[in-house]
Amino acid sequence: MNIFCKALCFILIFNIGIVYAATPSDNNQFFTFTFENDIFVGKDDGYTNGTGITFGTAGFDEFDTSNTSSWIYWLIKNQYISTAPDKTRAIAHMFFQRMQTPMDITVSDFVADDLPYAGLLAWQGTAYAWDANVADQLSLYLGLVGPLTQAEQSQKIIHKIVGADEPKGWRFQLENEPVVKIELQRIWSLYRNDANRFQYDVVGLGGVGVGNLETATKGGIAIRWGTNLSASMGAFSLQADRHVNPLAFTSSNDFYFFAGVRVGYVAHDILINGNTFTDSHSAPLEHVQNEVATGALWSRNRWAFVFALSSASAKTELTEERENYGALSVTYRY
């Protein structure tokens, strides 16, 4: 596992080098910092915290080795994301850490009928292709769960800073295991009123993901209100902070508000089902899940911001309590 951790670090350094050294200067290049936490909604259980950084470039007509890591380009060059005509394209690399805890983090003993402690450390590479009405997103996730993610240490530091309870059960977390997922998502405009400066539209959402990290299919609908909505289709997501701020793809000063709902069937989730190859704490998975989200996105000169609130149905049959959290991301375009 130490070898795998070093390989993940190599991917991070290699792809950051590609972003800085190989991207053309006439495209929009960007850096994003993301912070998710249920402290925004006054809770501290279930999905509890996440941080991430994203590098990328946008605004080119086709993927090639000047804007995309060579090994990623080799994977996608013959896929629809590359071959679809008349599209604007972008590439992004997100490096993130997320963590999950039981409902009561003050209990130091093992509790079988609760969520497992779990940390996730991963890289997410996403290729985008879009026009005014349809956007496609193809993502590859590579990472690991387990103590090597340093989730225990991260949560204890954050809790000490904010004065929250110390989590006491991390010794029961999932074991070290590499994780992978391939995910396809499509967003399409169902209706748009763009007769005025302030517009609104209705967008459909659909996607499928396969891997030992998660295997699921999900679909939904969202409403947006704001300015220049056709230009921000490329990276729209109900989890707005987990993709690039769509407004970072343009050089104009725009904003929009959104609200949406998504439902899906989850066949496997390692954070609930536990380790694939070794025995670990697990919980019965709730296969049918739903999520509602609302948020605001704003772009001004070189800066773009996201603030979003999400509420997801329970991921396990052990509880009916929803997982609620807030997210903030800040993007700088250079």
Side-chain angles (χ1 to χ4, degrees):
M1 288 307 302
N2 286 330
I3 294 175
F4 183 80
C5 192
K6 291 178 181 178
L8 183 63
C9 291
F10 172 79
I11 290 173
L12 186 156
I13 295 170
F14 177 75
N15 282 291
I16 288 177
I18 289 291
V19 170
Y20 276 102
T23 51
S25 60
D26 57 346
N27 293 324
N28 287 323
Q29 300 172 49
F30 48 83
F31 166 82
T32 297
F33 173 76
T34 297
F35 177 68
E36 299 177 342
N37 204 293
D38 51 9
I39 196 172
F40 286 114
V41 293
K43 293 182 57 182
D44 196 24
D45 55 55
Y47 175 64
T48 181
N49 185 77
T51 55
I53 58 172
T54 303
F55 300 88
T57 187
F60 47 88
D61 294 330
E62 61 182 25
F63 297 106
D64 56 42
T65 54
S66 71
N67 53 51
T68 305
S69 304
S70 57
W71 69 277
I72 297 177
Y73 175 66
W74 179 78
L75 290 174
I76 68 174
K77 64 180 181 180
N78 296 320
Q79 306 303 317
Y80 76 100
I81 202 79
S82 295
T83 59
D86 303 320
K87 299 286 186 178
T88 304
R89 291 178 166 84
I91 192 81
H93 308 272
M94 174 180 279
F95 308 92
F96 62 88
Q97 181 192 63
R98 295 174 190 150
M99 60 192 71
Q100 169 187 279
T101 64
M103 297 303 173
D104 187 354
I105 63 172
T106 64
V107 177
S108 58
D109 297 327
F110 177 72
V111 181
D113 57 346
D114 207 338
L115 288 169
Y117 280 88
L120 170 65
L121 181 66
W123 163 80
Q124 173 189 341
T126 302
Y128 300 89
W130 73 96
D131 55 33
N133 297 308
V134 178
D136 289 304
Q137 303 167 4
L138 173 60
S139 298
L140 172 65
Y141 297 75
L142 297 174
L144 67 156
V145 296
L148 282 174
T149 67
Q150 299 295 298
E152 175 184 2
Q153 292 81 355
S154 296
Q155 186 180 42
K156 287 182 176 179
I157 290 172
I158 293 171
H159 280 212
K160 186 174 182 179
I161 292 172
V162 302
D165 292 331
E166 179 184 357
K168 297 183 177 180
W170 272 103
R171 67 182 181 278
F172 303 114
Q173 68 177 298
L174 301 188
E175 299 295 332
N176 292 319
E177 180 178 330
V179 294
V180 63
K181 181 172 78 166
I182 298 174
E183 184 176 58
L184 313 175
Q185 295 192 75
R186 169 162 285 192
I187 301 95
W188 62 99
S189 175
L190 302 177
Y191 174 80
R192 178 178 299 127
N193 183 325
D194 55 4
N196 302 305
R197 167 172 165 72
F198 299 108
Q199 309 165 359
Y200 66 90
D201 67 3
V202 179
V203 296
L205 314 165
V208 60
V210 178
N212 71 321
L213 173 59
E214 182 191 52
T215 297
T217 181
K218 301 176 183 180
I221 194 168
I223 299 174
R224 303 190 299 165
W225 179 85
T227 59
N228 200 20
L229 295 180
S230 62
S232 58
M233 281 287 292
F236 178 76
S237 172
L238 281 191
Q239 295 176 312
D241 58 295
R242 295 189 180 182
H243 281 268
V244 180
N245 185 329
L247 300 181
F249 286 177
T250 70
S251 300
S252 57
N253 297 326
D254 294 303
F255 76 92
Y256 69 81
F257 298 91
F258 76 91
V261 60
R262 182 170 61 174
V263 297
Y265 182 86
V266 181
H268 174 78
D269 183 342
I270 195 171
L271 301 183
I272 306 299
N273 293 115
N275 288 107
T276 310
F277 308 107
T278 59
D279 291 333
S280 65
H281 186 191
S282 63
L285 178 66
E286 180 63 66
H287 292 289
V288 179
Q289 300 178 18
N290 66 76
E291 176 189 10
V292 294
T294 185
L297 293 81
W298 177 51
S299 175
R300 182 69 179 175
N301 299 325
R302 294 183 178 272
W303 296 92
F305 306 89
V306 172
F307 181 73
L309 296 172
S310 296
S311 177
S313 62
K315 295 181 178 180
T316 173
E317 299 173 359
L318 297 175
T319 179
E320 296 182 355
E321 187 175 355
R322 300 183 68 85
E323 291 188 355
N324 304 309
Y325 67 92
L328 174 69
S329 78
V330 180
T331 298
Y332 179 72
R333 186 174 58 244
Y334 55 93

